[in-house]
């Protein structure tokens, strides 16, 4: 029985790709004839011309047969099968995307479920954190409970970045190297304006962390795993102004919301590189600012602005500022 089934599969390979038995038989006859009229094909398969025409129309739509006036021409089997396989693969890809969308929707709905469960059970834990030492130690302590812990964090100002780099950068870099943390950070461009801060970013990148820069980051925050979020005492106000006092919120719905915000910022941000300052002037120029306005915005001289434009053009292999802007946009940096 197995031998018979295998022989049938080899005899009608097109059936597995969506052809009906009539279409498979007709295409086999077409291959032998190479070209034929409707009458000749009907005689070859001993079927009424009306039935043959329906099957032929299907083969033409599938790309297995070409029609030229009153004649039909068989396409080479490799071309016909290739097209059918490509269509099947496209259909499978669409179905896979649909499955991914359903799974993603399930994940989003799970946050609503968790939020309802937490509300019913009264579990919505908020812990005040006093100072930078307690904040950074809390993150490492929580990560140690379930390594590797995925951390996403936004840093909106240079003072916060500098304090973090000076006091805790080495500890977090070690945690990343040891597989305790898997960090990704979006930082404001002015937060990596100094060589020392960019050097810390380079060490983070070498440890496997992801870092990108954005013109403006709305506020400091972080999300650790699926269960903990860090929020400032006041949204949009730099942490140093509150003496690094903030809150740890243990609620999946809060974590999910901050992760969604982070992913939006991450998609708009550019990779941090030694040429971050050059990208900064391109971003400001893309918003319509002149050289003088960019210089005032950054607190540098017009000469420095023009030097950074030249640096950007060199980095991007561009012959003009316009070309540099187009190339930076193509790479998703603007």
């Amino acid at each position: 029985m197995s031998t018979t089934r295998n022989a049938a599969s080899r005899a009608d390979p097109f059936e597995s790709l969506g052809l009906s038995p009539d279409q498979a038989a007709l295409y086999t006859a077409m291959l032998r004839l190479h070209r034929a009229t409707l009458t000749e094909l009907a005689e070859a398969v001993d079927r009424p011309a009306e039935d043959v025409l329906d099957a032929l129309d299907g083969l033409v739509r599938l790309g297995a047969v070409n029609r030229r006036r009153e004649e039909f021409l068989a396409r080479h089997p490799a071309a016909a099968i290739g097209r059918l396989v490509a269509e099947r693969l496209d259909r499978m890809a669409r179905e896979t995307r649909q499955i991914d969308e359903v799974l993603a929707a399930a994940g989003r709905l799970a946050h609503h479920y968790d939020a309802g469960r937490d509300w019913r059970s009264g579990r919505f834990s908020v812990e005040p954190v006093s100072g930078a030492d307690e904040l950074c130690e809390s993150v490492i302590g929580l990560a140690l409970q379930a390594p590797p812990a995925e951390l996403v964090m936004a840093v909106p100002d240079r003072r916060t970045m500098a304090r973090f780099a000076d006091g805790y950068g080495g500890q977090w870099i070690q945690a990343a190297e040891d597989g305790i943390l898997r960090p990704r950070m979006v930082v404001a461009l002015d937060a990596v304006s100094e060589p020392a801060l960019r050097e810390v970013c380079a060490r983070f990148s070498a440890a496997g962390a992801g870092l990108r820069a954005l013109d403006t980051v709305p506020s400091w925050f972080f999300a650790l795993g699926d269960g903990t979020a860090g929020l400032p005492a006041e949204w949009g106000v730099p942490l140093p102004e509150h003496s690094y006092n903030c809150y740890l919120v243990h609620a999946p719905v809060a974590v999910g919301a901050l992760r969604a915000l982070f992913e939006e910022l991450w998609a708009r941000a550019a990779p941090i590189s030694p040429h971050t300052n050059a990208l900064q002037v391109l971003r400001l120029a893309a918003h319509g600012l002149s050289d003088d306005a960019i210089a005032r915005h950054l607190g540098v001289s017009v000469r420095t602005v023009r030097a950074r434009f030249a640096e950007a053009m060199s980095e991007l292999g561009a012959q003009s500022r316009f070309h540099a802007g187009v190339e930076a946009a193509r790479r998703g940096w603007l």
Side-chain angles (χ1 to χ4, degrees), residues 65-331:
V65 171
N66 290 334
R67 183 171 189 169
R68 292 184 183 173
R69 295 183 180 177
E70 300 302 321
E71 284 191 322
F72 295 89
L73 287 74
R75 296 191 67 191
H76 191 281
I81 291 176
R83 178 165 176 172
L84 291 172
V85 169
E87 290 179 353
R88 176 62 63 86
L89 290 174
D90 286 343
R91 186 161 63 250
M92 292 172 62
R94 289 195 299 271
E95 292 172 351
T96 299
R97 286 195 296 270
Q98 290 171 353
I99 291 172
D100 290 341
E101 290 170 359
V102 169
L103 292 175
R108 292 192 296 269
L109 293 173
H111 285 297
H112 292 291
Y113 174 85
D114 292 337
R117 179 196 60 196
D118 292 342
W119 179 76
R120 286 293 181 184
S121 62
R123 288 165 36 197
F124 196 84
S125 173
V126 178
E127 298 177 40
V129 175
S130 301
D133 289 344
E134 184 179 347
L135 170 62
C136 291
E137 290 172 4
S138 295
V139 171
I140 297 296
L142 289 167
L144 284 169
Q145 296 177 17
E150 184 179 353
L151 171 73
V152 298
M153 184 166 69
V155 182
D157 62 287
R158 190 192 62 78
R159 287 177 63 196
T160 301
M161 185 68 184
R163 174 67 184 275
F164 166 72
D166 290 342
Y168 315 99
Q171 183 181 1
W172 283 33
I173 289 168
Q174 187 64 52
E177 291 175 344
D178 293 343
I180 297 169
L181 276 180
R182 288 193 303 190
R184 282 190 297 152
M185 288 190 286
V186 172
V187 302
L189 278 169
D190 69 347
V192 288
S193 58
E194 298 177 4
L197 296 179
R198 289 202 296 274
E199 191 273 335
V200 171
C201 290
R203 290 172 58 201
F204 259 105
S205 296
L211 290 102
R212 293 187 181 182
L214 195 60
D215 277 343
T216 303
V217 176
S219 183
W220 173 86
F221 66 86
F222 76 80
L224 182 67
D226 293 325
T228 301
L231 289 168
E234 184 177 349
W235 185 262
V237 177
L239 278 175
E241 295 187 18
H242 289 284
S243 301
Y244 293 87
N245 293 325
C246 55
Y247 300 98
L248 296 183
V249 180
H250 304 285
V253 64
V255 177
L258 289 177
R259 280 192 174 279
L261 173 59
F262 177 87
E263 294 300 340
E264 180 180 344
L265 299 175
W266 180 264
R268 290 160 40 201
I272 295 176
S273 74
H275 304 282
T276 296
N277 286 334
L279 292 176
Q280 189 176 30
V281 297
L282 282 179
R283 286 174 174 269
L284 293 173
H287 286 91
L289 274 67
S290 65
D291 287 4
D292 289 341
I294 292 172
R296 289 194 298 272
H297 181 84
L298 298 178
V300 298
S301 68
V302 174
R303 187 174 181 177
T304 297
V305 169
R306 290 170 180 166
R308 291 181 181 180
F309 270 119
E311 182 184 346
M313 291 164 59
S314 175
E315 165 75 1
L316 295 164
Q319 302 302 314
S320 67
R321 291 186 181 186
F322 176 78
H323 185 199
V326 170
E327 180 61 21
R330 187 189 67 80
R331 298 187 190 186

